[in-house]
Amino acid sequence: MSGYDEKRGHRLDDGDPFAAKGSIVSAFDAFPKAKPQYVTHTSSGGKWTVAMTILSLCLVWTELARWWRGTETHTFAVEKGVSHGMNLNLDLVIKMKCPDVHVNVQDASGDRILAAEALYRDPTNFGQWIDQRGIHKLGRDTHGRLLTGEGFVDGTQEEGFGEEHVHDIVALGSKKGRWGKTPRLWGREADSCRIYGTLELNKVQGDFHVTARGHGYAQFGEHLSHDAFNFSHIINELSFGPYLPSLINPLDQTVNTVPEKSHFYRFQYFLSVVPTVYSVGQPESYSSRSIFTNQYAVTEQSAPIPENMEMQMIPGIFVKYDIEPILLNIIEDRDSFFVFMIKVVNILSGAMVAGHWGFRLSDWVKEVLGRRRRNAGHSQGMLGAKGDAGYED
């Protein structure tokens, strides 16, 4: 289609960039386009394009990583409902023979639980559990790092839930834990006792303690000789709630030994237990997954006691626990894929606009500097010409 524009004095054809084309709607086009022959590619524009592309990829990758991890929120609330019981999971190795050790629980309700009837006891050798440096030996690799089967975060951190995401905790928490087997003696002397299993406790303040035979409670039978006391111990597992062997607790892998020639020794651990719920997704949503467990903080106060004070202070291992009246909710939530795509589009749009204005600004600065340089060179040439003319006169 061609014609003649009387006002402009030239013909209108398909190649004329000033020709009015399209329907009336095209007049409202907010995205005008230029023909390829009127577009100039510059080296500075290419540099800005490469820089903005790299920046956009970095920002998108960061947003993808943040979206994949999700956001983790911690909230506290008063625990609702009426609770009655709670499990205590214990795996303890003490450097005394099994018949010489008594295990009991006394809680604030006045109940005395004979833990020895509910827990397993296996004779073992103390040297099978720690090395010559006094470090827990079983369950570690050649570098001394703890092995739980959950994978290392990096070359220095240990495994376990302490460095994992909530979705990993929930996924592994759905697996039922089993107690490991006691190592065979292979001809070694059974100088220690491994006490392990799960106890059902009242969910009130209590005291779990390990004492020597004939000490601590009035009972029939001879008392164990004081020379046989040795409450050196290894805590492989001490947790409350469901048994989750992959969950690393503060007292797990604890090695505590009695100084030489100090038979009367009292180990005390004070625990503050906090009920905790790990959730993936909001708890009220249909697809939410949660596990209930308990965390605790611990303080140790251990010291030798004089033999003449046995009636007032009994040697042994005492774990005093208190239940906090709050519930900790740890929720990992993630935006929907649609919201994630909107954020990606916003990132790309912002990078393009920033790159465009950066290119325009740098091009303007370059043009201004070039113009000043040309003006300075032209002025010097005129002064030189006047000087030469005066000399010739």
Side-chain angles (χ1 to χ4, degrees), residues 86-155:
M86 178 179 64
N87 289 342
L88 168 63
N89 309 299
L90 177 70
D91 190 349
L92 173 71
V93 178
I94 183 171
K95 201 172 183 180
M96 295 175 64
K97 295 183 178 180
C98 291
D100 299 336
V101 177
H102 281 174
V103 184
N104 295 282
V105 177
Q106 184 80 34
D107 59 33
S109 64
D111 289 348
R112 176 187 171 190
I113 302 173
L114 299 177
E117 300 178 0
L119 298 175
Y120 301 99
R121 296 190 183 195
D122 291 341
T124 185
N125 185 276
F126 204 75
Q128 293 180 295
W129 299 86
I130 59 174
D131 58 19
Q132 296 179 353
R133 297 173 296 172
I135 300 176
H136 194 278
K137 184 168 60 176
L138 296 186
R140 293 183 179 267
D141 65 2
T142 56
H143 301 286
R145 298 176 301 187
L146 181 65
L147 292 173
T148 61
E150 313 306 333
F152 292 106
V153 179
D154 57 32

Side-chain angles (χ1 to χ4, degrees), residues 133-203:
R133 297 173 296 172
I135 300 176
H136 194 278
K137 184 168 60 176
L138 296 186
R140 293 183 179 267
D141 65 2
T142 56
H143 301 286
R145 298 176 301 187
L146 181 65
L147 292 173
T148 61
E150 313 306 333
F152 292 106
V153 179
D154 57 32
T156 58
Q157 294 175 335
E158 294 184 343
E159 299 176 294
F161 288 154
E163 302 296 340
E164 296 291 333
H165 302 301
V166 176
H167 59 266
D168 298 319
I169 299 176
V170 174
L172 293 169
S174 60
K175 300 179 181 178
K176 186 177 180 181
R178 295 184 299 176
W179 298 102
K181 295 182 179 180
T182 304
R184 296 184 180 182
L185 292 172
W186 299 110
R188 299 185 181 184
E189 179 188 1
D191 62 352
S192 303
C193 181
R194 182 194 180 197
I195 305 169
Y196 63 100
T198 300
L199 284 173
E200 293 184 5
L201 308 176
N202 297 319
K203 197 172 181 179

Side-chain angles (χ1 to χ4, degrees), residues 24 64 72 82-84 102 119 129 137-138 143 228 242 244-245 249 252 272-273 297 309 318 323 334 348 387:
I24 300 177
L64 176 62
E72 187 174 306
V82 180
S83 302
H84 300 282
H102 281 174
L119 298 175
W129 299 86
K137 184 168 60 176
L138 296 186
H143 301 286
L244 305 173
N249 300 282
D252 291 355
S272 297
V273 182
M309 295 186 63
F318 296 84
I323 313 299
R334 182 184 301 165
L348 297 177

